[in-house]
Amino acid sequence: MAQYGKTEYWEERYTRDPEPFDWYQRWAGLKDTLLEFVQPAHSILMLGAGNSRLSEEMYEDGFQNITNIDISSVVTKAMQEKYRDKPGMTYRQMDARALDGVTEGSFNIVLDKATLDSILCGEGSTHNAQKVLSEISRVLMPNGAYIAISHGQPSYRLTYLQKPEFGWNVKIYTVHKPMMGMSGSLSADDKENVHYIYVCVKGESTKEGGQ
């Protein structure tokens, strides 16, 4: 099985295969849900950006303040070169478990397409996931949102996302896997045929529920 939790796996993969690759979904499949939460003026942190076209497609749609980070120096250098003519679109080599140099409350939105899933495939997954989510909580502004696109069902993901120390109000959406939407017979809750979008809004949990 691929070692998605290891840095070495990604360095080797991006060296071997530099072509753009998107996990799960492209912007077209996500925008109807995400536009409710993400605005063009927002400061966006893209976790585990890799060589995905998601940031490029969002940039072309008017979202032009995107900081992309990835643990792989190989892919970060390639993307810095590819997008050097796009002001406001930056790439930095960084470990999501320790967002060194990123100040508290820097971002309106943290977007994660498959990064949490990758971490949960690796050794020390629970500990590493906690470190990543703590860092996300730290760099989010009040009322900012962490948006995770995942294959993981709520019964497996909410354990991590609904920790009281984060104080996140979590909303769950589903989107059909690409090509699955062709069949009208598929129901939205068919677990094998959907990806989950977890929208975790910071600082709202105490307002709701009258605590």
Side-chain angles (χ1 to χ4, degrees):
M1 181 177 161
Q3 297 293 305
Y4 295 134
K6 288 185 179 291
T7 309
E8 298 81 5
Y9 168 81
W10 295 107
E11 293 287 39
E12 192 275 332
R13 176 181 173 133
Y14 289 128
T15 302
R16 184 183 72 241
D17 185 9
E19 290 302 306
F21 181 82
D22 273 274
W23 295 89
Y24 304 161
Q25 299 279 339
R26 302 275 294 270
W27 173 235
L30 299 170
K31 64 185 294 183
D32 285 353
T33 302
L34 267 53
L35 285 176
E36 184 180 338
F37 304 97
V38 189
Q39 300 169 16
H42 278 164
S43 174
I44 300 166
L45 177 65
M46 188 76 69
L47 287 191
N51 53 19
S52 162
R53 289 158 293 195
L54 179 61
S55 290
E56 177 187 342
E57 291 165 351
M58 291 183 70
Y59 191 94
E60 290 169 355
D61 226 2
F63 301 87
Q64 299 190 351
N65 185 359
I66 305 177
T67 300
N68 299 273
I69 67 167
D70 200 277
I71 202 166
S72 165
S73 58
V74 170
V75 81
T76 300
K77 286 173 187 166
M79 295 298 101
Q80 285 170 342
E81 178 68 19
K82 181 176 181 178
Y83 295 119
R84 67 184 189 277
D85 63 340
K86 287 188 167 18
M89 175 107 104
T90 59
Y91 279 81
R92 298 169 66 183
Q93 190 274 327
M94 199 175 288
D95 186 333
R97 293 170 297 184
L99 299 175
D100 297 334
V102 181
T103 55
E104 191 172 322
S106 298
F107 294 98
N108 300 104
I109 300 290
V110 176
L111 257 178
D112 164 7
K113 186 155 66 86
T115 299
L116 182 61
D117 287 1
S118 294
I119 289 162
L120 290 173
C121 289
E123 294 174 16
S125 57
T126 300
H127 177 64
N128 286 328
Q130 178 72 14
K131 285 167 77 171
V132 170
L133 295 171
S134 295
E135 279 291 81
I136 290 168
S137 182
R138 181 180 69 79
V139 304
L140 271 178
M141 297 178 189
N143 298 310
Y146 166 50
I147 302 173
I149 296 96
S150 171
H151 71 74
Q153 296 170 23
S155 56
Y156 297 108
R157 291 295 178 267
L158 291 179
T159 313
Y160 298 98
L161 300 176
Q162 290 184 326
K163 294 275 177 72
E165 61 262 38
F166 301 143
W168 291 344
N169 179 37
V170 183
K171 301 181 176 79
I172 306 168
Y173 301 84
T174 56
V175 59
H176 280 302
K177 291 180 179 177
M179 303 306 294
M180 294 296 181
M182 308 297 283
S183 167
S185 63
L186 291 176
S187 64
D189 60 354
D190 189 334
K191 295 180 179 62
E192 294 302 310
N193 297 315
V194 299
H195 291 126
Y196 295 90
I197 302 174
Y198 297 95
V199 179
C200 310
V201 180
K202 181 177 179 178
E204 286 198 354
S205 63
T206 53
K207 296 179 199 169
E208 301 195 7
Q211 294 172 4

